[in-house]
Amino acid sequence: MKNINPNKLCAGLMVVLVSACGNKAEQKPGQALASVNGEEITVMQLNDELARANAPAARQDAVRKQMLESLIDRQLLISEAAKESVDRDPRVVQAIERSRALILAQAYMQKRIGTPAKPSAEEVEAYYSQNPQFFAQRKHFEMREIILPTREVTDELKAVMDKTRSLDDAAAWLDTHKVKYQKAQLSRSGSELPPELSAKLMALSKDQLFIVREGERSMLVTITDIRSSPVELEAARPQIEQYLMAKKGKEAAEQEVKRLRASAKIAYINQPAPVANAGAQATGLERGVAGLK
């Protein structure tokens, strides 16, 4: 087959293909709402789509009709895919297996650890008081930036930045040397940024020029304004509760994986085993913080 993009194809067909790969159609549970060339679409399928859409009550009827039509369209595509043996393409099979593995792993974790308990009022208040930079002492930063390939951040450009301390002068230098870049303006509060980056920004002064690296791209950034933007406890409570619940869930998941690893026999074949106690690979934001100058 030619010109198959399994990512686009599987986005629409994955759920059904996972359970329907093969030639024999399976009986679907639930009351039928429509039949597409002999394949039934059931109430159970529609209710699952509605739950994922999370539509407001006032629009339930309209969304229900739209979802049913979408399911009909999807079934038509699946039928044609089966006729052309798309479900047997190795790339599609691999994508289906990956999605199936993710679904099973997530379902197991949900069953094993469930939903984390809502944090107590004391936990919320403790987090609020221990992180004043996000709340009581929160700052808001107005910034201008130039976005360019990291390979273009040369020693010569850094020398210009150190000498002029001006984003406009840096842009002029880039223009002279025919370096392509983009300009942008940012407005961010300290609570919207990674803690390390927020702390570093608070230590900088207005109009100071610095570099943030994120892999193959870098940003030349200058702070144009810094102002206080405090948040009261009650306003911050929902955000803190959500964060603490997510943190508990992440920690519980990590502990479960650690438990499973301890009892499993894991052998690395034709490659070296990872270094014991090695830290997790840095995320893009963490790499950006590491590149803050």
Side-chain angles (χ1 to χ4, degrees):
M1 294 189 304
K2 297 180 180 180
N3 298 326
I4 293 176
N5 187 327
N7 292 328
K8 292 183 178 179
L9 175 67
C10 291
L13 309 184
M14 189 63 66
V15 174
V16 181
L17 284 175
V18 166
S19 61
C21 281
N23 296 322
K24 185 177 179 180
E26 297 181 10
Q27 187 68 28
K28 299 174 185 176
Q31 182 180 354
L33 294 174
S35 176
V36 182
N37 296 327
E39 289 287 342
E40 291 185 346
I41 295 173
T42 68
V43 172
M44 185 178 296
Q45 288 175 277
L46 182 58
N47 287 342
D48 182 63
E49 294 293 326
L50 288 170
R52 293 175 187 276
N54 196 25
R59 297 194 64 243
Q60 281 288 325
D61 289 342
V63 173
R64 189 179 186 86
K65 293 177 182 177
Q66 293 172 3
M67 289 296 179
L68 179 57
E69 296 305 315
S70 294
L71 285 170
I72 291 172
D73 292 343
R74 183 189 300 173
Q75 186 57 53
L76 289 169
L77 292 171
I78 291 169
S79 297
E80 292 304 305
K83 288 179 184 178
E84 297 186 15
S85 299
V86 171
D87 56 334
R88 298 181 184 179
D89 181 273
R91 293 167 296 176
V92 176
V93 172
Q94 184 178 15
I96 290 172
E97 285 301 313
R98 181 179 184 277
S99 289
R100 181 177 181 275
L102 288 173
I103 290 169
L104 288 174
Q106 291 168 0
Y108 168 79
M109 198 64 77
Q110 179 64 33
K111 179 179 180 181
R112 181 74 183 185
I113 66 178
T115 302
K118 184 177 179 179
S120 66
E122 290 77 13
E123 288 178 298
V124 172
E125 291 165 10
Y127 186 83
Y128 179 90
S129 62
Q130 291 166 8
N131 295 275
Q133 71 277 18
F134 297 149
F135 307 110
Q137 299 174 14
R138 188 180 71 166
K139 301 290 185 181
H140 197 95
F141 304 96
E142 300 289 340
M143 294 173 282
R144 293 168 56 215
E145 69 176 11
I146 287 175
I147 307 166
L148 73 167
T150 295
R151 65 177 181 276
E152 301 291 356
V153 183
T154 61
D155 290 340
E156 190 176 358
L157 174 58
K158 293 178 184 177
V160 171
M161 293 173 61
D162 289 339
K163 181 179 179 181
T164 67
R165 302 291 179 179
S166 166
L167 193 66
D168 292 331
D169 287 346
W173 185 91
L174 293 171
D175 290 335
T176 301
H177 289 78
K178 301 186 185 309
V179 176
K180 294 183 178 180
Y181 62 88
Q182 294 177 314
K183 288 184 177 181
Q185 291 186 331
L186 301 176
S187 181
R188 296 286 187 273
S189 69
S191 57
E192 295 175 302
L193 299 168
E196 298 89 344
L197 181 55
S198 177
K200 286 182 177 293
L201 288 179
M202 290 180 71
L204 298 176
S205 60
K206 182 178 174 181
D207 296 327
Q208 189 165 348
L209 191 60
F210 57 95
I211 302 171
V212 174
R213 296 189 182 89
E214 287 186 347
E216 295 183 356
R217 74 170 192 167
S218 290
M219 284 73 73
L220 315 183
V221 188
T222 186
I223 302 173
T224 59
D225 189 32
I226 305 174
R227 63 180 185 272
S228 295
S229 181
V231 180
E232 298 295 331
L233 173 60
E234 290 311 309
R237 189 178 297 277
Q239 177 187 358
I240 296 175
E241 288 177 346
Q242 184 178 16
Y243 169 78
L244 292 178
M245 287 182 68
K247 184 171 181 287
K248 288 180 180 179
K250 181 175 181 291
E251 290 171 350
E254 289 173 348
Q255 286 299 315
E256 177 60 12
V257 171
K258 184 178 180 180
R259 183 187 72 82
L260 293 173
R261 276 180 167 266
S263 60
K265 294 181 179 179
I266 300 174
Y268 293 89
I269 302 171
N270 297 326
Q271 59 182 321
V275 179
N277 298 322
Q281 186 177 9
T283 65
L285 285 175
E286 288 169 340
R287 286 194 296 271
V289 172
L292 190 62
K293 298 290 185 180

